[in-house]
Amino acid sequence: MQSKISISNLDFYYGKTQALFDISMEIPERQVVAFIGPSGCGKSTFLRTLNRMNDTIPIARAEGVVKIDGENIYAPGTDVVALRRKVGMVFQKSNPFPKSIFENVAYGIRINGLHKNKADLQERVEKALRDAALLNEVKDRLNSSAFGLSGGQQQRLCIARALAVQPEVILMDEPASALDPIATQKIEELVVELKKQYSIVIVTHNMQQASRVSDKTAFFMLGKLIEFNPTQKMFTNPDERLTEDYITGRFG
Amino acid sequence: MSENNLQNHSRRKIISRIMTLLTAACTFFAIGILLLIISYIAVRGVSSLSLQFLIDTPKPVGEGGGIGNAILGSAIMTALAALIGLPLGIGAGIYLAEFGNGWFGKITRFVADTLIGVPSIIIGIFVYTLVVLPMGRQSGLAGGIALALIMIPIVARTTEEMIRLVPNSMREGALALGAPQWRVTMNIVLPAASTGIATGAMLAIARITGETAPLLFTALNSRFYNGYLDQPMASLTVQIFNYATGPFEVEHAMAWAATLILVGLILLINITVRFLTRKKF
């Protein structure tokens, strides 16, 4: 299995506080990798190092190597804007722009100049919405406000928005934590569907969700990677005692 | 025990009722003062109002006269001030909100806050030495600059506050799509904050429309219709001051009428901007 992202000896600091300790792992192409662990264990921080979203926090600092397709994204002179185009992100709380449904999806296409003409733009927006399993529900009101959608629909809109710029990796930070079971199920089905085309990393607090959608699971605690194994093994016969204790609910 | 609960419950309800009434009373008091002022001005001013009054220039006592040139002068100087002050103020506000976390931002913020607190007559004297003395006479240009100087810090700080209200998750959403910082600011943050920024701009315009002191030094006054920026220029506020301090009853009546117009104009600015910036999404 070819690896899409290769992380070696990554340390991460918020000011003087170290949040991640010497993390090394390989994230495979076109599979779903789930990050689990108790709150504050650094899994979201780690996820955000993969598209350098932590750059927006002035006191944050990363040391180590993160290679995507063999290129170190922390090398000086890296084009962060191009990196983020390649590595899309879906956030915990859906964050649609104060624009219409159509313009939300079109935004990324426009700023990256991906479309040839108006018809092409229309086509790309509809394809992204279809891929995010949202088109049928919104096709009659593409020009109405994105804030009129339900929570689950807003989250799928954000997924469509991320898909529209044709990324290669999609990072999802607890994408279903604020959704009801039915909306969650839709997102999970979508994740399984999307891994045919994309490499996906998903942070989740929901152990069942990790076991349902992911191929490999990583367990974090106190900023350290405790165990990283195929999901099947992780949930039946983990190598580490800590992992077993966490998964069986003995703490956390 | 249940009786005790019941007692607590009714006690709580009474306190809640009293507090609601108290806050409602405060609201009525605050709004009441505004209504009182407006209605008093309306009653005193409406008798001298006529179309002629709105068009005429000031004339010697007994021959009528009006505030046409004063309205024009106020409009020109306010427009000039907005033209200078809004871009500078909004630009500074954007800088403070999006990039102003260092020492430079802190100093700028402090200076802006201090400038807001500076009495407007001091701004007038400052512009007097800076513009009026070199030019050799008072002018509409100097008046507009003085008003702009009053406007800039107000607009900058309200713009900053409004931009800071835009949730960070929205910025991150755009950054995650590969949007460069300036595009995030231009097409996500600014539109999201536009209503608030427009409200701040409107309040600043309303504030300078009512300024008198800085214009006394800078624009002075004029008895004629005058569109030249290098000439002394009339303004509603200074004209009100002149009419109100005059010895004759007819002048006082005209001062009330002009006041009514001024308040009406400020109200009109408020309503227009509210209408234009209704939330679309």
Side-chain angles (χ1 to χ4, degrees):
Chain A
M1 183 57 61
Q2 202 183 340
S3 82
K4 182 75 182 170
I5 309 179
S6 150
I7 301 109
S8 27
N9 309 109
L10 183 74
D11 291 317
F12 188 86
Y13 305 84
Y14 288 114
K16 287 196 178 99
T17 318
Q18 188 163 5
L20 296 174
F21 297 85
D22 195 32
I23 292 179
S24 299
M25 71 192 291
E26 304 285 323
I27 291 175
E29 190 158 21
R30 291 180 204 217
Q31 288 198 0
V32 178
V33 173
F35 291 176
I36 60 170
S39 292
C41 70
K43 52 195 188 309
S44 285
T45 301
F46 181 47
L47 189 77
R48 290 164 62 96
T49 59
L50 302 182
N51 66 345
R52 288 186 56 175
M53 203 43 114
N54 288 321
D55 288 14
T56 57
I57 305 165
I59 57 165
R61 184 162 54 86
E63 282 171 12
V65 177
V66 177
K67 283 184 176 167
I68 297 183
D69 293 331
E71 270 183 63
N72 182 10
I73 62 170
Y74 282 96
T78 301
D79 183 356
V80 181
V81 166
L83 165 72
R84 291 185 185 141
R85 227 202 87 188
K86 196 165 157 182
V87 184
M89 190 164 200
V90 177
F91 297 82
Q92 181 173 4
K93 227 175 124 263
S94 59
N95 52 355
F97 303 136
K99 297 172 184 282
S100 69
I101 294 169
F102 182 90
E103 284 302 325
N104 259 277
V105 182
Y107 184 70
I109 304 172
R110 282 191 207 278
I111 55 167
N112 290 300
L114 299 177
H115 59 299
K116 289 192 272 301
N117 50 44
K118 234 181 154 182
D120 188 34
L121 179 68
Q122 181 86 23
E123 216 165 89
R124 281 168 186 269
V125 169
E126 284 182 10
K127 180 173 184 312
L129 285 168
R130 196 179 302 118
D131 289 347
L134 187 61
L135 185 62
N136 282 333
E137 292 161 56
V138 301
K139 61 175 178 240
D140 300 322
R141 47 174 173 150
L142 286 177
N143 289 317
S144 54
S145 168
F147 292 140
L149 298 172
S150 74
Q153 288 172 328
Q154 287 193 14
Q155 194 58 298
R156 275 180 284 146
L157 179 69
C158 292
I159 295 176
R161 191 173 71 185
L163 296 180
V165 296
Q166 299 174 315
E168 294 168 26
V169 182
I170 300 176
L171 310 174
M172 296 184 166
D173 191 356
E174 299 185 48
S177 66
L179 303 180
D180 69 34
I182 296 170
T184 302
Q185 192 191 349
K186 280 192 176 160
I187 303 273
E188 287 182 11
E189 285 167 7
L190 186 57
V191 169
V192 173
E193 186 61 31
L194 289 174
K195 78 170 180 182
K196 291 172 188 162
Q197 291 182 62
Y198 307 94
S199 313
I200 296 174
V201 185
I202 181 168
V203 168
T204 178
H205 268 295
N206 182 333
M207 242 84 71
Q208 282 77 30
Q209 185 171 70
S211 69
R212 279 192 300 259
V213 303
S214 69
D215 301 293
K216 297 186 89 175
T217 300
F219 172 58
F220 291 85
M221 222 178 97
L222 301 171
K224 296 192 176 90
L225 175 61
I226 306 295
E227 182 171 352
F228 182 43
N229 266 320
T231 303
Q232 183 85 27
K233 177 175 166 50
M234 200 83 168
F235 281 89
T236 51
N237 181 28
D239 289 334
E240 299 290 330
R241 182 65 197 271
L242 266 175
T243 315
E244 189 179 339
D245 286 353
Y246 182 71
I247 287 171
T248 54
R250 231 162 272 168
F251 73 93
Chain B
M1 165 123 180
S2 79
E3 207 168 285
N4 197 3
N5 265 350
L6 210 66
Q7 259 182 0
N8 270 341
H9 180 62
S10 55
R11 208 179 92 105
R12 221 164 53 223
K13 260 170 75 175
I14 290 171
I15 292 178
S16 162
R17 181 67 59 82
I18 291 173
M19 292 313 280
T20 313
L21 278 174
L22 269 178
T23 47
C26 292
T27 311
F28 276 121
F29 186 70
I31 298 175
I33 289 178
L34 178 70
L35 288 180
L36 209 66
I37 293 174
I38 292 179
S39 51
Y40 188 67
I41 292 171
V43 168
R44 296 292 299 261
V46 82
S47 57
S48 310
L49 265 190
S50 66
L51 188 62
Q52 207 56 45
F53 179 71
L54 294 181
I55 299 169
D56 266 352
T57 55
K59 287 188 180 130
V61 177
E63 295 176 29
I67 53 168
N69 62 330
I71 293 176
L72 179 73
S74 272
I76 291 175
M77 285 189 288
T78 305
L80 180 66
L83 210 65
I84 303 169
L86 286 185
L88 284 175
I90 291 174
I94 293 170
Y95 174 82
L96 285 177
E98 298 281 290
F99 313 99
N101 287 321
W103 61 271
F104 185 67
K106 282 201 186 92
I107 291 175
T108 311
R109 208 166 287 125
F110 178 75
V111 169
D113 283 343
T114 311
L115 209 54
I116 289 175
V118 170
S120 54
I121 193 153
I122 291 175
I123 305 276
I125 295 170
F126 174 69
V127 174
Y128 180 82
T129 36
L130 199 76
V131 182
V132 176
L133 288 183
M135 273 178 78
R137 62 164 171 256
Q138 276 99 343
S139 65
L141 179 71
I145 290 174
L147 295 181
L149 290 185
I150 295 170
M151 224 175 153
I152 290 168
I154 303 175
V155 175
R157 289 295 268 143
T158 49
T159 301
E160 183 194 357
E161 296 301 326
M162 291 307 135
I163 289 178
R164 282 188 188 278
L165 286 181
V166 176
N168 212 20
S169 64
M170 230 178 245
R171 290 186 185 84
E172 291 196 332
L175 285 172
L177 290 173
Q181 180 70 48
W182 67 270
R183 291 201 78 142
V184 178
T185 303
M186 287 309 284
N187 30 33
I188 302 295
V189 176
L190 278 187
S194 62
T195 311
I197 294 175
T199 308
M202 166 188 87
L203 289 175
I205 289 177
R207 155 96 196 269
I208 58 161
T209 311
E211 281 292 348
T212 319
L215 294 179
L216 284 171
F217 286 100
T218 52
L220 200 62
N221 200 357
S222 160
R223 303 190 70 82
F224 313 102
Y225 270 105
N226 164 27
Y228 297 105
L229 282 176
D230 61 342
Q231 304 283 336
M233 198 176 268
S235 63
L236 262 176
T237 44
V238 175
Q239 194 56 50
I240 290 170
F241 177 77
N242 283 354
Y243 277 144
T245 49
F248 301 102
E249 199 49 49
V250 275
E251 288 183 300
H252 298 167
M254 286 201 284
W256 282 112
T259 309
L260 180 60
I261 296 297
L262 181 63
V263 172
L265 282 177
I266 291 173
L267 210 62
L268 196 70
I269 297 173
N270 274 284
I271 294 168
T272 314
V273 177
R274 286 231 179 271
F275 179 76
L276 289 176
T277 55
R278 276 175 310 172
K279 273 242 180 300
K280 284 189 211 78
F281 288 111

